[in-house]
Structure formats: structure tokens, C-alpha cells
Amino acid sequence: KAGVTQTPRYLIKTRGQQVTLSCSPISGHRSVSWYQQTPGQGLQFLFEYFSETQRNKGNFPGRFSGRQFSNSRSEMNVSTLELGDSALYLCASSLFITAGGYTFGSGTRLTVV
Amino acid sequence: GQQLNQSPQSMFIQEGEDVSMNCTSSSIFNTWLWYKQDPGEGPVLLIALYKAGELTSNGRLTAQFGITRKDSFLNISASIPSDVGIYFCAGQLQAGGGADGLTFGKGTHLIIQP
């Protein structure tokens, strides 16, 4: 059974640009969450999608957005990139929102220069 | 927002030793999770706890959900080299059929000296 797949693995962008990251959940999983991991702040919740609807949102500015498609695949977008957006972006999937046992992908390492 | 205090921040131990780490919170959770993260990879779920007082084992790992719902600990017995990595606790609050996102501790970096 394939795990959570995130693409691309690595990305370098310039300040002011925008970026789109992709996540394919485990087959059958309908909930997809996104997390930002930095050395200073650790792992922080961005948002969670279930059945194409955003169900929860963390404390991030509106430059961070996402969406989920009918096949449960999800994308997150960051507009007007700042240096501080450099981080490992992790996607996690689970059967339902309240399942608790989220499975994480390997992440996309975003570097903003 | 909610904060999790995870300790210790790092541990240097000898192979074969037992390890203990814990997390405390200023507010309650109704799910506690323990993850391990290796370099360049995402966190991998080790143990999930869903009920206050619950004690759960997974091989050499044992974790407990505190009675107050504000803390959890993870023990690793007889450590081996592959236990090296960063261990994270995470709490989740579920209410009204929904749930908040996971709140993570800052991690415990486990280093094993042969």
C-alpha cells in the first residue's frame, strides 16, 4: 500500500514568488493536513481538508492556502514568499478527521532566497 | 494557543539503557500521539492514546495518557542503535464531531553511544 506522496521533494524559490506543493494521501484516506516544520518553531499546523472542504485552520497568514480535490489529493499554495517561509512542509493523511493516527509524507523542503 | 512542553530536549545514552521522555500541556487533550522522525523523513507514528489513564505498548515502547489529560510519557526499553532520532509528542483536542490540528512538542533528540 503506497504511503503519503509529496512532490516535489526540494524546491528553491525567490522572495515574492509563489509556490504550489502537492500531496497524494494513502488510498482511502479522506483527510489531508498540512504542517510547517522549522528549527525555531517546530511543527505547526497549517490546515486540514476533508471531503474537499477546509475543516480546520492554524494560525498562519492568508498567504498560505490550500485545496483538496475529489480524489482527496491536496495542494497548498504560498503566495508572496518571504525568507521566513523556508521550511519543511509536511502533509499527513488519515481516514477521518478524528482518527488521530495521521500518516505523514516525507515532506517538501522549500528554500526561499 | 496551546503549548506542549516536551523534555528532555536531548538525551545521550548507552546502548541497552532504558529511555524516558514526557510531555506536559497547559490545556487538556483527548488524544496523545508519539512520533519518531529520522533525518530527511516525515514523522512516523509510534503509539496513539485515546483515553485518560491508558497505557499502551508497541514492542519495546510504552506510552501512557495522563489521568489529568494534560500529560503523556514515552518509555523505550533496552535501546538499540536504530532508536536514534527525534521523538515528538502531539496532542489533539476533539469536540463536537470535529478536531483541532495536532499540537506538537519541540522534540526529544535521542543519541545512542555504542
Side-chain angles (χ1 to χ4, degrees):
Chain A
K1 181 165 155 178
V4 177
T5 304
Q6 290 188 247
T7 56
R9 283 299 305 269
Y10 302 93
L11 207 48
I12 300 175
K13 289 287 189 179
T14 304
R15 259 185 311 176
Q17 286 186 315
Q18 72 159 10
V19 67
T20 299
L21 311 182
S22 180
C23 172
S24 294
I26 290 173
S27 177
H29 283 194
R30 296 169 61 191
S31 167
V32 174
S33 305
W34 289 89
Y35 290 81
Q36 181 195 66
Q37 186 174 27
T38 59
Q41 298 300 316
L43 280 149
Q44 293 186 288
F45 172 69
L46 280 156
F47 28 66
E48 180 167 19
Y49 286 85
F50 183 81
S51 293
E52 302 176 66
T53 302
Q54 186 180 91
R55 303 292 178 153
N56 263 313
K57 190 176 191 302
N59 191 23
F60 278 82
R63 300 186 296 107
F64 292 82
S65 63
R67 59 177 176 167
Q68 187 180 34
F69 302 96
S70 58
N71 61 359
S72 294
R73 191 176 70 84
S74 177
E75 289 180 347
M76 69 162 279
N77 183 278
V78 188
S79 62
T80 320
L81 284 165
E82 300 176 359
L83 295 178
D85 297 333
S86 295
L88 180 67
Y89 289 89
L90 291 158
C91 166
S93 76
S94 68
L95 281 169
F96 308 108
I97 290 177
T98 57
Y102 296 88
T103 301
F104 282 83
S106 296
T108 294
R109 171 75 62 186
L110 172 65
T111 302
V112 183
V113 297
Chain B
Q2 296 167 328
Q3 300 232 347
L4 288 187
N5 296 309
Q6 185 171 351
S7 64
Q9 190 173 358
S10 58
M11 298 183 74
F12 294 80
I13 63 166
Q14 302 277 346
E15 185 177 345
E17 284 186 18
D18 296 344
V19 171
S20 184
M21 59 191 79
N22 69 83
C23 269
T24 59
S25 169
S26 57
S27 50
I28 64 171
F29 291 108
N30 43 27
T31 298
W32 280 94
L33 306 168
W34 284 92
Y35 285 88
K36 177 176 181 273
Q37 187 174 27
D38 293 326
E41 298 297 328
V44 173
L45 182 65
L46 300 173
I47 292 181
L49 302 157
Y50 299 105
K51 198 162 57 173
E54 180 181 357
L55 183 71
T56 297
S57 293
N58 178 8
R60 295 178 296 105
L61 277 60
T62 302
Q64 183 157 32
F65 190 145
I67 290 290
T68 65
R69 296 167 65 192
K70 292 184 178 181
D71 63 317
S72 177
F73 73 74
L74 174 71
N75 288 339
I76 305 173
S77 63
S79 58
I80 59 177
S82 62
D83 291 335
V84 166
I86 304 177
Y87 292 79
F88 292 97
C89 62
Q92 186 178 41
L93 185 63
Q94 300 165 21
D100 295 343
L102 298 180
T103 299
F104 279 87
K106 290 292 176 74
T108 294
H109 194 172
L110 181 60
I111 298 158
I112 298 177
Q113 298 160 331

